[in-house]
Amino acid sequence: DGVCDAAAAIVVEGRRPAELRSSEWIERQRRKIHEGVAEMSRELGDGAWCHGDSYSLADIACGCALGYLDLRHSAIDWRTAFPNLVRLADKLAKRPSFAETAPPSP
């Protein structure tokens, strides 16, 4: 949830008038995103799912956070650094619940 909070906060900050935006604050949010994604990767490890041996709410939350990064923060290259999360995200994207609610491609 913290990854989504920080990512959404950057989007909101970007809508403020340019003279009121804080690049230091945005960078702080980016660090939160990086640390949160790194922790998701550490927790997933080599596992097939985020928690235990089956699909759970943790996988949904992780998949939504990673999908939001792809949608709104494509400059954040989490895919190169965290191949285990790529594997999970790709698997989740094939599930009907994710595929049917994915944003349209640009």
Side-chain angles (χ1 to χ4, degrees), residues 10-26:
I10 291 171
V11 171
V12 171
E13 183 72 6
R15 293 180 179 153
R16 296 181 68 195
E19 66 275 5
L20 298 177
R21 291 182 203 149
S22 170
S23 59
E24 294 84 12
W25 188 85
I26 290 171

Side-chain angles (χ1 to χ4, degrees), residues 29-98:
Q29 301 310 311
R30 285 190 181 127
R31 283 192 306 272
K32 290 177 187 179
I33 292 168
H34 177 74
E35 290 302 317
V37 172
E39 183 61 24
M40 288 190 299
S41 177
R42 278 189 292 277
E43 288 287 324
L44 177 60
D46 292 329
W49 301 106
C50 290
H51 184 70
D53 295 329
S54 62
Y55 178 69
S56 71
L57 183 57
D59 300 292
I60 296 168
C62 186
C64 289
L66 297 173
Y68 188 72
L69 291 179
D70 284 343
L71 178 66
R72 296 285 181 230
H73 297 282
S74 59
I76 297 175
D77 184 18
W78 62 270
R79 289 178 176 270
T80 299
F82 306 107
N84 63 337
L85 292 178
V86 173
R87 186 180 68 248
L88 177 66
D90 290 349
K91 179 171 41 175
L92 292 171
K94 293 175 185 170
R95 294 182 66 86
S97 56
F98 274 84

